[in-house]
Amino acid sequence: MDKLQKLDSLIVLLMFALLPIDMINGVMLGNEIILPITIGQLFKLLIIGVLFFRFFIFNFKLLLTSCLMFLLMLLPSFYQMFTQLDASFLFSDIVKVSKYLTPLFCFFFFKDFITRQDPLELKQLFKLVWFSYIVLVVNILIKYIGLGYPMYKAGDIGSKGFFFAGNETSAMLIILTSILAYTIFLNKERWKFYAFMLFSLFVGLSISSKTAILGMLLLLILIPLERPTIKTDLTKLKKLGLTLLVSIPFVFSGTWWALKQSSVFDRLTYYWAKLDALTFIFSHRNFFFADAYKVYLEKYNLLEKFLGVGQTKYEILNNAKIIEIDIADIFFTYGYIGFLLFVFSLGYLGVQSWKISKFEKYNYTKFVFLMLIILLGISTIAGHVFSSGMSAVFIGLLFSLMYIKKNVVLKK
């Protein structure tokens, strides 16, 4: 094993500690132990530092690209620092920028890692996903023995385990479940796939968020639909149609029954009765957007409308509230530069997965494209996807899977 492989193995090994560290972080915050920088933020900055060290030693172009992205996203913060003659908020803004950029940095890393096509190294990645999935699921299910924190304090509804950010827990479940479910499906273990997805749907119901429940339902339906192509024979289509005809009514009726038995059903019906459909779907984020847009028009100067105002001032101007729609928060915080960087990054990933899908030796490309659409949709409705410190590493891993070739053994 050469020096690069040893360093890469060390980086992946560090990533095994991500969720356990987030658990400790959640317990500390839950007990109001507030530090200048949380241990979760510190550990994620450590991982970014190690990634930058790797880029510096083995791929200096990636280091320059990553640093340039960082500087572009920090331009509004530098502008505020210059106009206010105050740098006290800069570190906080750096931490926030790192959340948005970590998925890209990790994508760069995992792409290099995967293109070596070493079966042992790839198995290490899937062990990381399995381990993280188990840690996440155990945290969510400990509510049934009276441990952990509820998703919603009012009414003690749902569960987020010992993690602090409930919405990020939902996104994390969708990302980890999708990788494992698709891998099981690729291995033609259909009944194992449906059993795994039904269990994950139960976990999503235990979280009791619309995002988690809808995400599990989408994966259950769309992953099997993703496989057929124009070349698919009639027999396979008939089998798929029969499977969907039987499974979809069963899954939806079972989910509806489970929802009606849970405490979250009362919460959902209460808000459904009080709100219009759009406000119910967006959980008032449509109003948050309208308020932020008004602030943008009235309180941003001409340069700030182009450049953004940085995270700290954005929150100050909006009374400590953010919209929780990723693309909108990015625009109001980082201006057109941040918005275009976000759009071009996702566009690049989409085009790249589409181009690679033309080569039959890659079998994760269509899955990556599907998950790009799903995550973009979730980030628009519920936010906390591309700005999630908890999920950032695994978003980068998910997108890099498009480079895995068919001849690599992926079974657990």
Side-chain angles (χ1 to χ4, degrees):
M1 183 181 292
D2 61 25
K3 292 181 179 179
L4 175 60
Q5 288 178 295
K6 287 181 179 178
L7 179 57
D8 286 356
S9 294
L10 173 63
I11 293 171
V12 174
L13 189 62
L14 280 172
M15 291 173 177
F16 274 84
L18 278 164
L19 290 196
I21 293 290
D22 271 333
M23 285 172 54
I24 298 171
N25 188 65
V27 171
M28 292 178 67
L29 292 175
N31 287 279
E32 299 183 353
I33 302 174
I34 309 299
L35 303 175
I37 177 171
T38 68
I39 60 169
Q41 292 171 342
L42 186 62
F43 187 71
K44 292 176 182 75
L45 289 175
L46 170 65
I47 288 179
I48 292 175
V50 178
L51 287 176
F52 275 30
F53 174 75
R54 181 203 187 269
F55 297 159
F56 175 76
I57 298 296
F58 298 104
N59 196 331
F60 195 70
K61 287 183 179 179
L62 274 184
L63 178 65
L64 291 177
T65 302
S66 301
C67 289
L68 178 61
M69 289 179 175
F70 234 119
L71 289 174
L72 285 173
M73 295 285 278
L74 283 172
L75 278 177
S77 300
F78 291 144
Y79 172 72
Q80 296 301 324
M81 186 174 65
F82 176 76
T83 56
Q84 298 176 28
L85 299 178
D86 178 16
S88 60
F89 57 85
L90 185 60
F91 181 74
S92 175
D93 282 11
I94 289 173
V95 170
K96 187 63 180 181
V97 167
S98 71
K99 290 183 179 181
Y100 282 113
L101 292 179
T102 297
L104 272 177
F105 300 154
C106 289
F107 171 77
F108 296 151
F109 164 71
F110 286 122
K111 178 185 175 183
D112 278 357
F113 190 95
I114 286 173
T115 49
R116 289 199 293 265
Q117 301 297 324
D118 185 320
L120 291 177
E121 289 185 333
L122 292 177
K123 283 184 177 179
Q124 187 182 18
L125 291 187
F126 284 90
K127 285 179 181 177
L128 169 64
V129 178
W130 270 112
F131 173 79
S132 302
Y133 176 83
I134 291 169
V135 172
L136 181 70
V137 167
V138 169
N139 264 272
I140 294 165
L141 297 184
I142 57 174
K143 68 167 285 185
Y144 295 108
I145 58 172
L147 298 175
Y149 305 123
M151 181 70 175
Y152 306 104
K153 288 184 179 180
D156 194 30
I157 296 172
S159 171
K160 57 182 180 180
F162 289 114
F163 300 114
F164 186 73
N167 287 334
E168 293 187 25
T169 304
S170 300
M172 190 69 172
L173 178 66
I174 292 169
I175 292 163
L176 295 176
T177 299
S178 69
I179 296 172
L180 297 175
Y182 190 76
T183 303
I184 293 169
F185 195 84
L186 278 182
N187 289 327
K188 302 186 185 303
E189 299 170 308
R190 302 300 169 86
W191 290 110
K192 185 177 178 181
F193 164 79
Y194 287 111
F196 175 74
M197 280 307 311
L198 288 175
F199 172 73
S200 296
L201 177 58
F202 168 71
V203 177
L205 287 165
S206 299
I207 294 177
S208 297
S209 76
K210 299 192 297 289
T211 302
I213 297 168
L214 179 61
M216 294 303 102
L217 289 172
L218 285 174
L219 294 178
L220 181 57
I221 294 168
L222 295 179
I223 286 180
L225 283 177
E226 197 273 333
R227 290 288 290 166
T229 66
I230 296 174
K231 298 179 181 179
T232 303
D233 59 53
L234 189 60
T235 303
K236 287 183 179 179
L237 285 175
K238 285 181 178 178
K239 287 182 179 178
L240 178 62
L242 182 61
T243 301
L244 292 175
L245 189 65
V246 173
S247 62
I248 290 178
F250 170 76
V251 169
F252 273 95
S253 60
T255 304
W256 180 249
W257 178 85
L259 266 176
K260 290 187 73 173
Q261 309 308 309
S262 68
S263 54
V264 75
F265 184 76
D266 292 335
R267 186 177 189 273
L268 291 175
T269 52
Y270 171 79
Y271 282 111
W272 178 257
K274 292 182 71 68
L275 305 174
D276 61 89
L278 185 65
T279 305
F280 177 80
I281 292 170
F282 281 91
S283 300
H284 291 92
R285 291 179 179 88
N286 50 327
F287 293 121
F288 299 158
F289 176 85
D291 292 340
Y293 184 64
K294 184 179 179 182
V295 169
Y296 172 80
L297 292 177
E298 296 177 355
K299 297 186 179 181
Y300 287 43
N301 63 38
L302 185 61
L303 184 58
E304 289 173 337
K305 285 179 179 177
F306 175 78
L307 198 64
V309 293
Q311 186 67 34
T312 300
K313 186 170 181 179
Y314 172 56
E315 292 183 10
I316 290 172
L317 290 173
N318 289 277
N319 298 315
K321 291 181 180 178
I322 61 173
I323 302 170
E324 298 184 8
I325 295 175
D326 285 343
I327 195 166
D329 283 324
I330 287 171
F331 175 73
F332 291 128
T333 305
Y334 306 108
Y336 284 97
I337 294 175
F339 175 81
L340 291 174
L341 181 60
F342 178 72
V343 171
F344 284 148
S345 298
L346 294 185
Y348 167 79
L349 292 170
V351 170
Q352 191 74 355
S353 63
W354 187 263
K355 286 171 62 178
I356 297 175
S357 68
K358 297 176 182 178
F359 301 95
E360 292 187 359
K361 62 182 178 180
Y362 298 101
N363 52 7
Y364 274 84
T365 52
K366 294 178 182 178
F367 163 71
V368 169
F369 188 81
L370 170 68
M371 288 307 299
L372 181 63
I373 301 301
I374 289 177
L375 292 181
L376 185 57
I378 292 172
S379 76
T380 302
I381 295 173
H384 296 293
V385 175
F386 297 103
S387 61
S388 168
M390 187 176 180
S391 304
V393 167
F394 297 93
I395 293 173
L397 172 57
L398 186 155
F399 291 147
S400 68
L401 294 179
M402 71 173 87
Y403 296 101
I404 291 181
K405 295 180 180 178
K406 282 185 177 180
N407 62 346
V408 181
V409 178
L410 297 177
K411 289 188 178 181
K412 183 183 171 187

